[in-house]
Amino acid sequence: MEEKRIKVNYRIRTSNEDALECLINEYNEGEEDLIALFAEDEDGKIAATYWYGDQEVNAYFYDNELWDGMIHFSHELFEQKKMYIPHPEITNIQRNGSMLCVEMVLYLPWSSSEVPSIPDEEQIYIPSEGEPELSIYESRIVGVKYHTNEKQYEELDEKVMRLETAILQKEPENQYDPNAIAAYTQDGLKIGYIPKDEIESVKSIMGNNPKLDVEMSYMDFNAGSINIRIKTWVTKSLLSEKLFKLYSPIEVYRANYVYRKWGGITEKTESELFDKSKQLIDFKKFNSLTIGQQDRLAEKWLDRMTRATVENPTNPGLRMTVPLDLSVYGTSWKKINLRDEAKIALIEAENKMIAIYVRTRRMGYKFSPEEFVEEMNLNELGETIMKRMHYIYDNNRL
């Protein structure tokens, strides 16, 4: 990925000196998300404009009329086809009156001429064994709404908030699936099951034990699922095994390539794992990392297979993720052509509109996709983005 070092002058408009100094202090304290230089307070706002040479690259408008700002943002994207620069890495900030001079490193996406070629042979992931490390494996319990009544469901939410433990129990006599693993509260209430795609990994942690205590960490009240954390000693990365059982190395490579192309920033250790000339992952380097490092990367890569990272439309400078199903576009990570700039650009643009739709839902506007289009005064949108919005609406996703 091409690296460019630039200086940007920001003209700051704010009635609160403390907010301005807070931004500089946050940078000095190593806050990685300090990108758009935004802060808000009771009396005023900070706004910033990106300049690249004599060209205005990006401008944000942010005030209490948030809804108007979102409409403006959507028109910028779909009528002017304005594309946003990837998030930079800030290396220095200095203040001069109402101006901030910010030095940054900008990582530019590869051009089409630099698209890595397809390797002659498909890679196979072989995990490496290492010294035992204490690891935390995260999974989830599903079907909670089905197995509890309304009162139990609300009480369970309180138990999760207190980080209480649940009991996982194998069900070899289950008539539908002898590999099933059920979940119970400590007082014996059955609350759901481990999903099928997680059974193999969880069973490997349980070993010969018929039961296992796990910590409940988060409850998705709308979806009816509970995230759990399992502490276990491991000699290999369980998350990496899970990742490469679900996806081939070339699929993982392509998802990460597109992630960077859309402005996602990776740490140096991560970017060095991807070959620049061929669609290959350096598994020798990957396996040389600690199990904890492998788990952390595998967790990120799993998320990028089904979610896209985009600019947060209501909090400029911050990033958020939105659901991404490539089958909507008639492709997949296995089939996608990285040289198909038109398709990749279309998906990127629709990711940004999906982000606006998700943010409106989180703000309490429960519009259907059709109502959203009408409320935002948009022209008729394409079939693909309407399908994606309906997935969010029909499944009550936030």
Side-chain angles (χ1 to χ4, degrees), residues 343-373:
K343 178 169 287 186
I344 292 175
L346 168 66
I347 299 171
E348 180 185 20
E350 294 191 348
N351 289 340
K352 293 174 180 178
M353 179 54 78
I354 291 294
I356 297 173
Y357 184 54
V358 169
R359 290 301 296 164
T360 62
R361 291 179 57 77
R362 290 179 181 172
M363 291 163 57
Y365 299 94
K366 303 300 184 183
F367 297 133
S368 69
E370 290 74 17
E371 291 169 334
F372 173 77
V373 171

Short mmCIF file of all heavy atoms in Angstrom, two decimals, residues 343-373:
data_model
loop_
_atom_site.label_atom_id
_atom_site.label_comp_id
_atom_site.label_asym_id
_atom_site.label_seq_id
_atom_site.Cartn_x
_atom_site.Cartn_y
_atom_site.Cartn_z
N LYS A 343 -17.43 -2.72 -9.43
CA LYS A 343 -18.22 -3.43 -8.43
C LYS A 343 -17.74 -3.10 -7.02
O LYS A 343 -18.56 -2.87 -6.11
CB LYS A 343 -18.15 -4.94 -8.66
CG LYS A 343 -18.91 -5.76 -7.61
CD LYS A 343 -19.04 -7.22 -8.01
CE LYS A 343 -20.05 -7.37 -9.14
NZ LYS A 343 -20.34 -8.78 -9.47
N ILE A 344 -16.43 -3.05 -6.82
CA ILE A 344 -15.89 -2.76 -5.49
C ILE A 344 -16.26 -1.34 -5.06
O ILE A 344 -16.59 -1.08 -3.90
CB ILE A 344 -14.36 -2.98 -5.47
CG1 ILE A 344 -14.06 -4.48 -5.63
CG2 ILE A 344 -13.74 -2.45 -4.19
CD1 ILE A 344 -12.58 -4.81 -5.75
N ALA A 345 -16.24 -0.39 -6.02
CA ALA A 345 -16.62 0.99 -5.71
C ALA A 345 -18.12 1.08 -5.38
O ALA A 345 -18.53 1.84 -4.50
CB ALA A 345 -16.28 1.90 -6.87
N LEU A 346 -18.95 0.30 -6.11
CA LEU A 346 -20.39 0.30 -5.83
C LEU A 346 -20.65 -0.20 -4.42
O LEU A 346 -21.43 0.40 -3.67
CB LEU A 346 -21.11 -0.61 -6.84
CG LEU A 346 -22.58 -0.94 -6.51
CD1 LEU A 346 -23.44 0.32 -6.58
CD2 LEU A 346 -23.12 -2.01 -7.44
N ILE A 347 -20.00 -1.30 -4.04
CA ILE A 347 -20.21 -1.85 -2.70
C ILE A 347 -19.75 -0.85 -1.65
O ILE A 347 -20.43 -0.65 -0.63
CB ILE A 347 -19.45 -3.19 -2.55
CG1 ILE A 347 -19.97 -4.22 -3.56
CG2 ILE A 347 -19.61 -3.74 -1.13
CD1 ILE A 347 -19.14 -5.49 -3.63
N GLU A 348 -18.63 -0.18 -1.90
CA GLU A 348 -18.13 0.81 -0.94
C GLU A 348 -19.13 1.95 -0.77
O GLU A 348 -19.43 2.38 0.36
CB GLU A 348 -16.79 1.37 -1.41
CG GLU A 348 -16.22 2.41 -0.45
CD GLU A 348 -14.96 3.06 -0.96
OE1 GLU A 348 -14.71 3.03 -2.18
OE2 GLU A 348 -14.23 3.62 -0.12
N ALA A 349 -19.67 2.47 -1.87
CA ALA A 349 -20.64 3.56 -1.79
C ALA A 349 -21.89 3.12 -1.03
O ALA A 349 -22.44 3.86 -0.22
CB ALA A 349 -21.02 4.03 -3.19
N GLU A 350 -22.33 1.88 -1.29
CA GLU A 350 -23.54 1.40 -0.61
C GLU A 350 -23.26 1.10 0.86
O GLU A 350 -24.16 1.22 1.70
CB GLU A 350 -24.10 0.19 -1.35
CG GLU A 350 -24.61 0.56 -2.74
CD GLU A 350 -25.42 -0.53 -3.41
OE1 GLU A 350 -25.44 -1.68 -2.93
OE2 GLU A 350 -26.06 -0.21 -4.43
N ASN A 351 -22.02 0.74 1.20
CA ASN A 351 -21.66 0.59 2.61
C ASN A 351 -21.93 1.88 3.37
O ASN A 351 -22.41 1.88 4.50
CB ASN A 351 -20.17 0.23 2.75
CG ASN A 351 -19.83 -1.18 2.30
OD1 ASN A 351 -20.71 -2.04 2.21
ND2 ASN A 351 -18.57 -1.41 2.02
N LYS A 352 -21.60 3.01 2.73
CA LYS A 352 -21.75 4.31 3.39
C LYS A 352 -23.22 4.67 3.60
O LYS A 352 -23.59 5.24 4.63
CB LYS A 352 -21.03 5.38 2.57
CG LYS A 352 -19.51 5.19 2.56
CD LYS A 352 -18.81 6.16 1.63
CE LYS A 352 -17.30 5.94 1.65
NZ LYS A 352 -16.59 6.83 0.72
N MET A 353 -24.06 4.33 2.62
CA MET A 353 -25.48 4.58 2.81
C MET A 353 -26.07 3.65 3.87
O MET A 353 -26.92 4.05 4.67
CB MET A 353 -26.22 4.43 1.48
CG MET A 353 -27.73 4.67 1.61
SD MET A 353 -28.14 6.26 2.36
CE MET A 353 -27.88 7.36 0.99
N ILE A 354 -25.59 2.41 3.90
CA ILE A 354 -26.03 1.48 4.94
C ILE A 354 -25.66 2.02 6.32
O ILE A 354 -26.43 1.90 7.28
CB ILE A 354 -25.40 0.08 4.73
CG1 ILE A 354 -25.97 -0.59 3.48
CG2 ILE A 354 -25.62 -0.80 5.95
CD1 ILE A 354 -27.44 -0.93 3.58
N ALA A 355 -24.49 2.65 6.43
CA ALA A 355 -24.08 3.24 7.70
C ALA A 355 -25.06 4.32 8.15
O ALA A 355 -25.40 4.41 9.33
CB ALA A 355 -22.67 3.82 7.58
N ILE A 356 -25.53 5.12 7.21
CA ILE A 356 -26.52 6.15 7.55
C ILE A 356 -27.82 5.50 8.02
O ILE A 356 -28.42 5.93 9.02
CB ILE A 356 -26.78 7.07 6.34
CG1 ILE A 356 -25.50 7.81 5.96
CG2 ILE A 356 -27.89 8.06 6.64
CD1 ILE A 356 -25.62 8.61 4.69
N TYR A 357 -28.23 4.45 7.34
CA TYR A 357 -29.47 3.76 7.72
C TYR A 357 -29.33 3.16 9.12
O TYR A 357 -30.24 3.27 9.96
CB TYR A 357 -29.79 2.67 6.70
CG TYR A 357 -31.10 1.96 6.96
CD1 TYR A 357 -32.29 2.66 7.08
CD2 TYR A 357 -31.14 0.57 7.07
CE1 TYR A 357 -33.49 2.01 7.31
CE2 TYR A 357 -32.33 -0.10 7.30
CZ TYR A 357 -33.51 0.63 7.42
OH TYR A 357 -34.69 -0.02 7.65
N VAL A 358 -28.19 2.53 9.40
CA VAL A 358 -27.96 1.93 10.72
C VAL A 358 -27.97 3.01 11.80
O VAL A 358 -28.56 2.83 12.88
CB VAL A 358 -26.63 1.15 10.74
CG1 VAL A 358 -26.25 0.75 12.17
CG2 VAL A 358 -26.73 -0.10 9.87
N ARG A 359 -27.33 4.14 11.52
CA ARG A 359 -27.28 5.21 12.52
C ARG A 359 -28.67 5.79 12.80
O ARG A 359 -28.98 6.12 13.94
CB ARG A 359 -26.33 6.33 12.06
CG ARG A 359 -24.86 5.95 12.06
CD ARG A 359 -24.36 5.53 13.43
NE ARG A 359 -24.43 6.62 14.39
CZ ARG A 359 -24.36 6.45 15.71
NH1 ARG A 359 -24.25 5.24 16.22
NH2 ARG A 359 -24.41 7.49 16.52
N THR A 360 -29.50 5.91 11.78
CA THR A 360 -30.86 6.42 12.02
C THR A 360 -31.62 5.47 12.93
O THR A 360 -32.38 5.90 13.80
CB THR A 360 -31.64 6.60 10.71
OG1 THR A 360 -31.80 5.35 10.05
CG2 THR A 360 -30.94 7.56 9.79
N ARG A 361 -31.40 4.16 12.76
CA ARG A 361 -32.08 3.18 13.61
C ARG A 361 -31.57 3.28 15.05
O ARG A 361 -32.35 3.17 16.00
CB ARG A 361 -31.87 1.78 13.06
CG ARG A 361 -32.60 1.55 11.73
CD ARG A 361 -32.37 0.15 11.19
NE ARG A 361 -32.77 -0.89 12.12
CZ ARG A 361 -34.02 -1.26 12.33
NH1 ARG A 361 -35.01 -0.65 11.68
NH2 ARG A 361 -34.31 -2.22 13.19
N ARG A 362 -30.29 3.48 15.21
CA ARG A 362 -29.74 3.60 16.56
C ARG A 362 -30.19 4.88 17.25
O ARG A 362 -30.19 4.97 18.48
CB ARG A 362 -28.21 3.54 16.51
CG ARG A 362 -27.68 2.16 16.15
CD ARG A 362 -26.17 2.13 16.07
NE ARG A 362 -25.70 0.80 15.68
CZ ARG A 362 -24.44 0.50 15.39
NH1 ARG A 362 -23.52 1.45 15.43
NH2 ARG A 362 -24.10 -0.72 15.06
N MET A 363 -30.58 5.87 16.45
CA MET A 363 -31.10 7.12 17.01
C MET A 363 -32.59 7.03 17.32
O MET A 363 -33.18 7.98 17.80
CB MET A 363 -30.84 8.27 16.03
CG MET A 363 -29.37 8.63 15.87
SD MET A 363 -29.08 9.61 14.37
CE MET A 363 -30.18 10.98 14.64
N GLY A 364 -33.20 5.88 17.04
CA GLY A 364 -34.60 5.68 17.37
C GLY A 364 -35.56 5.81 16.21
O GLY A 364 -36.77 5.64 16.39
N TYR A 365 -35.06 6.08 14.99
CA TYR A 365 -35.92 6.17 13.81
C TYR A 365 -36.04 4.78 13.18
O TYR A 365 -35.13 4.32 12.50
CB TYR A 365 -35.34 7.16 12.79
CG TYR A 365 -35.22 8.57 13.30
CD1 TYR A 365 -34.03 9.01 13.85
CD2 TYR A 365 -36.29 9.45 13.24
CE1 TYR A 365 -33.89 10.31 14.33
CE2 TYR A 365 -36.17 10.76 13.71
CZ TYR A 365 -34.97 11.18 14.25
OH TYR A 365 -34.85 12.46 14.71
N LYS A 366 -37.14 4.11 13.41
CA LYS A 366 -37.30 2.72 12.96
C LYS A 366 -37.94 2.65 11.57
O LYS A 366 -38.93 1.96 11.33
CB LYS A 366 -38.16 1.94 13.97
CG LYS A 366 -37.60 1.96 15.38
CD LYS A 366 -36.20 1.35 15.46
CE LYS A 366 -35.70 1.31 16.90
NZ LYS A 366 -34.33 0.79 17.02
N PHE A 367 -37.37 3.41 10.64
CA PHE A 367 -37.91 3.44 9.29
C PHE A 367 -37.71 2.11 8.58
O PHE A 367 -36.68 1.46 8.73
CB PHE A 367 -37.22 4.53 8.44
CG PHE A 367 -37.44 5.92 8.93
CD1 PHE A 367 -36.38 6.81 9.05
CD2 PHE A 367 -38.71 6.38 9.27
CE1 PHE A 367 -36.57 8.10 9.49
CE2 PHE A 367 -38.91 7.67 9.71
CZ PHE A 367 -37.84 8.54 9.82
N SER A 368 -38.69 1.74 7.77
CA SER A 368 -38.46 0.67 6.80
C SER A 368 -37.55 1.24 5.72
O SER A 368 -37.40 2.47 5.60
CB SER A 368 -39.78 0.22 6.18
OG SER A 368 -40.30 1.25 5.34
N PRO A 369 -36.93 0.39 4.89
CA PRO A 369 -36.09 0.94 3.81
C PRO A 369 -36.84 1.91 2.92
O PRO A 369 -36.29 2.96 2.52
CB PRO A 369 -35.66 -0.31 3.05
CG PRO A 369 -35.64 -1.38 4.09
CD PRO A 369 -36.80 -1.07 4.99
N GLU A 370 -38.10 1.60 2.60
CA GLU A 370 -38.88 2.48 1.73
C GLU A 370 -39.16 3.82 2.41
O GLU A 370 -39.08 4.89 1.78
CB GLU A 370 -40.19 1.80 1.34
CG GLU A 370 -40.05 0.61 0.41
CD GLU A 370 -39.50 -0.64 1.09
OE1 GLU A 370 -39.54 -0.70 2.34
OE2 GLU A 370 -39.03 -1.54 0.38
N GLU A 371 -39.48 3.79 3.71
CA GLU A 371 -39.71 5.03 4.45
C GLU A 371 -38.43 5.85 4.57
O GLU A 371 -38.45 7.09 4.50
CB GLU A 371 -40.25 4.70 5.85
CG GLU A 371 -41.66 4.11 5.84
CD GLU A 371 -42.05 3.56 7.20
OE1 GLU A 371 -41.15 3.18 7.98
OE2 GLU A 371 -43.26 3.48 7.47
N PHE A 372 -37.31 5.18 4.75
CA PHE A 372 -36.01 5.84 4.84
C PHE A 372 -35.70 6.60 3.55
O PHE A 372 -35.28 7.76 3.58
CB PHE A 372 -34.93 4.80 5.12
CG PHE A 372 -33.52 5.33 5.07
CD1 PHE A 372 -33.01 6.08 6.12
CD2 PHE A 372 -32.71 5.08 3.98
CE1 PHE A 372 -31.70 6.56 6.08
CE2 PHE A 372 -31.41 5.56 3.92
CZ PHE A 372 -30.91 6.30 4.98
N VAL A 373 -35.91 5.95 2.40
CA VAL A 373 -35.65 6.59 1.11
C VAL A 373 -36.51 7.83 0.95
O VAL A 373 -36.05 8.89 0.50
CB VAL A 373 -35.89 5.60 -0.04
CG1 VAL A 373 -35.85 6.31 -1.39
CG2 VAL A 373 -34.85 4.48 -0.02
#
